[in-house]
Amino acid sequence: MSAAVYPSRLDAAIKRGLRTGDEVGADGSLVQVGPLKLFTDGSLNTRTALCRDPYPGLEGTDGAHGIEETAPDELVRLMRHAAAHGIEPAVHAIGDRANTVALDAFEAVRCRGRIEHAQLLSPQDLPRFAELGVTAGVQPRHATDDRDVADRHWAGRTERAFAYGDLLAAGARLEFGSDAPVSPLDPWLAIASAVSRTDDERPAWHPEQRLSVPDALVAAARGRRLIRVGDPADLVVVDVDPLDADPTPCARCRCTPR
């Protein structure tokens, strides 16, 4: 488990000499120092995700394009300050404009880190994840849970929403999360959503963005394709083979730690 550092506590963490990946507390602690958590925008459902195009019905109003949570210059300053002391940034970015701002900041600082959510992307930003070495931390359940609201608020743009297939094709490193308690913690539900792009009787939503089961399993394992000597690993036993199962039974997989 990793515990994020927030800007108000950044200097205190630096003063203590904490770095991303350090164990907290006694030897063998299960808690590690996580990233510096930063926010560029709000969310899709509240129409506060920062977008290039205005939200339908809000044209010409304040906030028509969403909100900017952290100014670009301040984002760069905080990221540079943290990275100089071994704390990697994790930047919340949902709208396409927010993701460009976040990637621009990574390009300016040239540090490792993550963009959390990456829900709506401009085509020109897809290859930048791999070019800059930025991990895309994504939550596939959001793609199925929010497909209707995305069609409403991002009308005409949803081919660029939750674009996991395009990100992978562009060489990005994908890592799945749940954003719990917003979505269920169960990793099999994320895998099923990424593979099927639906969680009900409707056809797949933008099926071109589906992932294969092997690629989804890699993303669920923090990007690891192989287990090497010395790697930390959790072994599980499942009642169906995810590589052979269709997404519906995969979503019903249950793991028993061994």
Side-chain angles (χ1 to χ4, degrees):
M1 178 186 299
S2 296
V5 177
Y6 283 78
S8 63
R9 292 291 188 178
L10 176 58
D11 287 335
I14 290 172
K15 186 175 181 179
R16 290 179 59 187
L18 299 178
R19 302 170 68 90
T20 297
D22 286 352
E23 291 184 352
V24 179
D27 291 345
S29 171
L30 295 178
V31 179
Q32 295 182 332
V33 179
L36 172 67
K37 186 63 182 290
L38 297 166
F39 292 81
T40 61
D41 65 347
S43 67
L44 164 61
N45 283 272
T46 60
R47 293 183 292 182
T48 54
L50 187 62
C51 297
R52 297 183 183 279
D53 299 311
Y55 288 93
L58 296 184
E59 296 89 347
T61 67
D62 291 340
H65 294 262
I67 62 172
E68 181 184 86
E69 285 281 0
T70 306
D73 289 348
E74 177 67 359
L75 187 67
V76 169
R77 185 191 72 80
L78 288 166
M79 289 172 59
R80 182 171 285 132
H81 184 43
H85 293 87
I87 299 177
E88 298 177 6
V91 184
H92 166 113
I94 288 183
D96 52 2
R97 177 58 186 160
N99 277 279
T100 297
V101 168
L103 289 165
D104 287 349
F106 275 107
E107 186 169 6
V109 177
R110 292 291 174 177
C111 66
R112 294 177 56 186
R114 309 166 56 85
I115 289 179
E116 295 294 346
H117 308 307
Q119 289 188 1
L120 185 67
L121 298 171
S122 299
Q124 63 268 27
D125 282 337
L126 288 165
R128 299 180 73 196
F129 284 83
E131 291 167 1
L132 298 171
V134 175
T135 296
V138 299
Q139 298 76 34
R141 285 289 294 181
H142 291 341
T144 50
D145 290 344
D146 293 342
R147 61 187 289 180
D148 295 318
V149 72
D151 282 335
R152 182 164 65 251
H153 293 335
W154 290 340
R157 292 172 274 171
T158 52
E159 76 281 356
R160 301 188 279 112
F162 308 95
Y164 308 143
D166 285 348
L167 278 166
L168 195 65
R173 178 188 176 99
L174 297 181
E175 292 188 5
F176 288 171
S178 66
D179 207 22
V182 178
S183 291
L185 189 60
D186 189 340
W188 293 109
L189 297 179
I191 292 167
S193 292
V195 172
S196 67
R197 297 287 289 202
T198 187
D199 61 358
D200 53 31
E201 300 305 316
R202 291 180 291 178
W205 185 64
H206 290 290
E208 72 278 6
Q209 298 297 349
R210 288 187 295 195
L211 299 183
S212 68
V213 172
D215 285 333
L217 289 171
V218 169
R222 295 186 176 181
R224 295 186 179 191
R225 292 188 177 273
L226 297 171
I227 297 176
R228 299 178 177 86
V229 174
D231 280 349
D234 292 319
L235 302 181
V236 300
V237 175
V238 295
D239 56 0
V240 296
D241 184 347
L243 296 176
D244 294 333
D246 66 54
T248 300
C250 188
R252 294 198 295 266
C253 284
R254 291 297 178 267
C255 300
T256 303
R258 290 291 184 266

